[in-house]
Amino acid sequence: MYAKPLAPRRRCRKLNPGLGGAKQISTRFDTDAKRGLTLISPTAIYVLLLLAVPLATIVAFSFWSQDFLSIDRTLTLKNYREAFTDPIYRVFLLRSLWISGVVTVVTVVLAFPIAYFVSFHVPPERKALWIFLITIPFWTSYLLRAFLWKVILGFNGVLNSGLLGLGLIDEPLTFILYNTNAVVITLAHAFAPFTILPIYVALEKIDRSLLEASQDLGEGTARTFFRVTLPLAMPGVVAATLIVFIPTIGDYVTPRLVGGPDGLMIANMIQTQFLKLNNAPMGAALSVLAMGAVTLISLIFLFANRRFLK
Amino acid sequence: MNWLRVYAIVYLVFLYLPVLLLPIFSFNDATVIAFPLQGFTTQWFKELAGIDALHGALKNSLFIGIVSATLSTILGICAARASTRYRFPFKAPIMGAIMLPLVLPEIIVAVSLLVVLMQLGFSLTSWTVIMGHTLICTPFAIAILSSSFQGLDQSLEEAAVDLGETRWGAFSKIILPLVTPGIVASFLIAFTISMDEFIIAFFLTGADPTLPVYIWSQLRFPKRLPSVMALGTLLIVASLVLLSIAEYFRRRGIRRTGAKDSGGFL
């Protein structure tokens, strides 16, 4: 934006004919900065008040404690100590991280070929249609989609009755509902468009002549893919990974509907603490821990992939 | 590359499987949501007309959706315009913070707002849900609006100013008409997100539930499930119509500013 100051500078000169070049640029920068900051201030203030302040409050709460109906505001590490020592919290946290990790890997691995197909094998004029087709299911009620997976995976469900009807199995499969498998399938479905789009965008940016160059220089199709296409698509893959991994940890609906007792995740525990046990400080501590763990893993992941992201 | 095409089609079936079941079961003449199908009926749709709690929830959701979409589109215009047009200090961290709700788990947004509202002694109403929905819809609005503002030729606005327009005049007469399609698309997307959002509404709603909160409460009663399926079918049709309109406006906007269509909403 700053690279093309030509036209405004002309205007400046008209208004202040005596100003020198350096002064003009700094004046322009100041006006730009002032206008930009003024314009963004409503949104920034809204986010400050409704996101930054609440997040800070949650952190503060996690160091307080619940004293029957009132909040005891003396700082304490009691909640964190409990979260680390009580096995139930540890189980919920580790299981959530595990499920998020598996969902992320499954979703990204399944999505990559689709993004690749749309970017490399669909004629340009039909690409927008394919992307539209992929995003449509995402815009239908998330609650109902999760519920319908219960219908599909259930004992008398669509999958079991279908497989029984085809004679492929003798009795209904039970390992696909009310456990972590069901949570993984449902979440992998819910986040599919979120992974396809960033990978697709990264693939679209690849200069096709690089691929031709690689092949002209004697590389085969597979080696061209692994040495040229994939490294260039990595920014999209990294974005997709984070876009799935971070929100998944906080999913409430899916584990509640299809997870059964062994598939519940940290969000279910946070909800229980806040709304059922009326222990907001403990819920806050669990929220902070979940966010902290996710942030840490994401940073490590970003660091591990730093060479692709320059 | 035939196997890739086959995979793509299988994948699309996977994506559409739950969505396709919805209309099937909403016309199925049985109270149990399972195969085999029992015959055709429209009674579940007729049943919907008689549930007052549903109508209340629908009205409430429409109100919350319209207000949230309006607010987040206005906030989105400010941020998208500022970030595409001006250079200012702390731009990256400010934009980062504004876009953060896009990746933040919704339950974190929900509980942190709940805690603040509890501390301030606010009672939970539709407006508390609107606060949360505006927060999470704004990044989507910015993503759509940024691509509209980005495609603009800056010299158009400068020409208007040189010809004697005020800056506001140039914005409202030149820029705004050019980005109107983007604004409509942003409004519709934000509205759709708000209508579908469950967790924030679940935590922040007062006595009047939103539509997803109402649906959630009904999922516990097996007897209500067929009519929930019918409701879901109607919602799919409604969001398809809205999204097609949004897509139409988005494409028109891109054509208008002469940019290349990158496809998709995100």
Side-chain angles (χ1 to χ4, degrees), chain A residues 291-309:
Chain A
M291 281 315 294
V294 170
T295 313
L296 189 67
I297 294 173
S298 305
L299 289 178
I300 293 171
F301 180 75
L302 279 175
F303 183 75
N305 286 290
R306 66 193 180 284
R307 70 194 177 95
F308 297 116
L309 302 173

Side-chain angles (χ1 to χ4, degrees), chain A residues 122-142:
Chain A
V122 170
E125 69 277 6
R126 310 248 324 254
K127 281 181 181 175
L129 177 71
W130 268 87
I131 293 296
F132 193 52
L133 271 179
I134 287 165
T135 39
I136 285 176
F138 162 69
W139 295 105
T140 57
S141 166
Y142 173 47

Side-chain angles (χ1 to χ4, degrees), chain A:
Chain A
M1 262 136 265
Y2 193 48
K4 10 173 211 179
L6 261 173
R9 200 191 294 166
R10 201 172 49 221
R11 198 162 73 232
C12 259
R13 197 175 298 143
K14 227 183 323 187
L15 296 172
N16 311 302
L19 287 178
K23 188 83 181 288
Q24 275 170 23
I25 288 174
S26 82
T27 315
R28 173 180 146 69
F29 184 77
D30 290 345
T31 345
D32 240 29
K34 221 191 304 173
R35 284 182 187 162
L37 283 172
T38 317
L39 192 52
I40 206 160
S41 58
T43 320
I45 290 168
Y46 190 86
V47 170
L48 182 75
L49 290 180
L50 279 102
L51 188 67
V53 171
L55 287 179
T57 314
I58 269 281
V59 174
F61 252 77
S62 72
F63 291 105
W64 295 342
S65 54
Q66 187 79 33
D67 190 14
F68 293 105
L69 288 176
S70 62
I71 301 282
D72 179 359
R73 295 196 183 174
T74 38
L75 295 182
T76 167
L77 286 171
K78 176 177 157 288
N79 302 312
Y80 288 101
R81 213 176 298 128
E82 212 177 313
F84 282 115
T85 50
D86 194 334
I88 188 159
Y89 299 129
R90 214 173 38 223
V91 166
F92 268 77
L93 264 174
L94 291 179
R95 184 194 290 148
S96 304
L97 288 172
W98 169 247
I99 291 181
S100 298
V102 175
V103 167
T104 309
V105 172
V106 168
T107 318
V108 172
V109 168
L110 288 179
F112 191 93
I114 298 300
Y116 185 84
F117 172 74
V118 178
S119 180
F120 281 77
H121 295 286
V122 170
E125 69 277 6
R126 310 248 324 254
K127 281 181 181 175
L129 177 71
W130 268 87
I131 293 296
F132 193 52
L133 271 179
I134 287 165
T135 39
I136 285 176
F138 162 69
W139 295 105
T140 57
S141 166
Y142 173 47
L143 273 184
L144 290 176
R145 268 184 292 145
F147 175 77
L148 284 160
W149 276 106
K150 192 165 138 175
V151 174
I152 295 170
L153 301 172
F155 194 78
N156 299 319
V158 175
L159 193 64
N160 274 326
S161 43
L163 290 175
L164 280 172
L166 289 172
L168 289 172
I169 50 172
D170 298 324
E171 50 191 86
L173 307 171
T174 51
F175 65 90
I176 46 173
L177 187 62
Y178 298 130
N179 54 31
T180 49
N181 295 339
V183 178
V184 170
I185 296 173
T186 310
L187 286 176
H189 179 264
F191 281 95
F194 281 121
T195 41
I196 294 175
L197 290 176
I199 299 174
Y200 168 75
V201 170
L203 287 170
E204 281 289 278
K205 281 190 191 146
I206 296 176
D207 186 348
R208 301 302 196 256
S209 57
L210 291 175
L211 308 181
E212 281 166 29
S214 162
Q215 303 214 330
D216 286 350
L217 291 169
E219 294 280 41
T221 321
R223 278 172 66 92
T224 300
F225 175 79
F226 284 110
R227 296 186 60 185
V228 183
T229 316
L230 192 57
L232 287 173
M234 276 313 277
V237 174
V238 170
T241 305
L242 296 182
I243 280 179
V244 181
F245 183 68
I246 301 174
T248 312
I249 193 98
D251 194 80
Y252 172 84
V253 171
T254 298
R256 188 68 201 284
L257 281 178
V258 303
D262 296 331
L264 288 180
M265 288 166 68
I266 195 70
N268 307 98
M269 183 51 91
I270 293 173
Q271 188 261 352
T272 309
Q273 295 290 342
F274 271 98
L275 300 186
K276 298 225 175 93
L277 300 178
N278 196 19
N279 189 351
M282 191 66 220
L286 292 174
S287 311
V288 173
L289 280 177
M291 281 315 294
V294 170
T295 313
L296 189 67
I297 294 173
S298 305
L299 289 178
I300 293 171
F301 180 75
L302 279 175
F303 183 75
N305 286 290
R306 66 193 180 284
R307 70 194 177 95
F308 297 116
L309 302 173
K310 275 172 210 145

Side-chain angles (χ1 to χ4, degrees), chain B residues 20-251:
Chain B
L20 290 178
L21 289 175
L22 211 46
I24 294 178
F25 285 119
S26 65
F27 289 110
N28 183 28
D29 192 6
T31 46
V32 188
I33 308 294
F35 282 107
L37 299 175
Q38 301 293 329
F40 183 84
T41 177
T42 52
Q43 63 158 313
W44 309 122
F45 288 91
K46 285 177 198 136
E47 208 170 83
L48 288 179
I51 308 172
D52 285 337
L54 167 66
H55 302 162
L58 178 64
K59 262 185 229 154
N60 199 26
S61 264
L62 286 173
F63 171 70
I64 292 172
I66 289 170
V67 177
S68 308
T70 311
L71 289 175
S72 54
T73 302
I74 292 171
L75 292 175
I77 291 174
C78 293
R81 170 77 173 156
S83 75
T84 50
R85 172 73 171 78
Y86 299 109
R87 235 177 103 97
F88 49 90
F90 307 113
K91 183 166 163 178
I94 293 176
M95 285 310 287
I98 293 173
M99 298 305 272
L100 188 62
L102 209 56
V103 286
L104 209 57
E106 284 179 357
I107 189 144
I108 303 284
V109 176
V111 294
S112 56
L113 274 172
L114 178 71
V115 159
V116 170
L117 292 169
M118 274 176 2
Q119 286 295 296
L120 295 175
F122 276 44
S123 55
L124 299 176
T125 61
S126 299
W127 287 99
T128 50
V129 182
I130 289 172
M131 286 177 177
H133 280 185
T134 304
L135 189 69
I136 59 157
C137 291
T138 303
F140 286 93
I142 293 173
I144 296 161
L145 289 163
S146 288
S147 61
S148 308
F149 280 117
Q150 215 132 43
L152 288 180
D153 187 351
Q154 222 183 63
S155 54
L156 289 175
E157 186 194 355
E158 278 152 13
V161 174
D162 283 351
L163 291 169
E165 269 297 346
T166 58
R167 278 197 318 120
W168 169 248
F171 181 76
S172 60
K173 286 184 193 154
I174 309 291
I175 306 295
L176 222 44
L178 283 170
V179 294
T180 303
I183 292 174
V184 176
S186 149
F187 179 89
L188 292 175
I189 298 288
F191 177 77
T192 316
I193 292 172
S194 167
M195 285 292 284
D196 186 38
E197 202 288 327
F198 168 68
I199 282 290
I200 292 175
F202 184 50
F203 273 85
L204 298 182
T205 196
D208 310 313
T210 64
L211 199 55
V213 175
Y214 170 79
I215 292 176
W216 179 256
S217 71
Q218 298 302 302
L219 288 180
R220 276 179 297 152
F221 305 113
K223 228 181 70 187
R224 288 297 185 88
L225 289 179
S227 56
V228 170
M229 297 288 118
L231 178 60
T233 306
L234 293 180
L235 288 177
I236 289 188
V237 174
S239 46
L240 275 186
V241 170
L242 281 184
L243 289 171
S244 305
I245 298 172
E247 174 71 7
Y248 168 77
F249 275 101
R250 196 189 62 84
R251 285 192 191 179

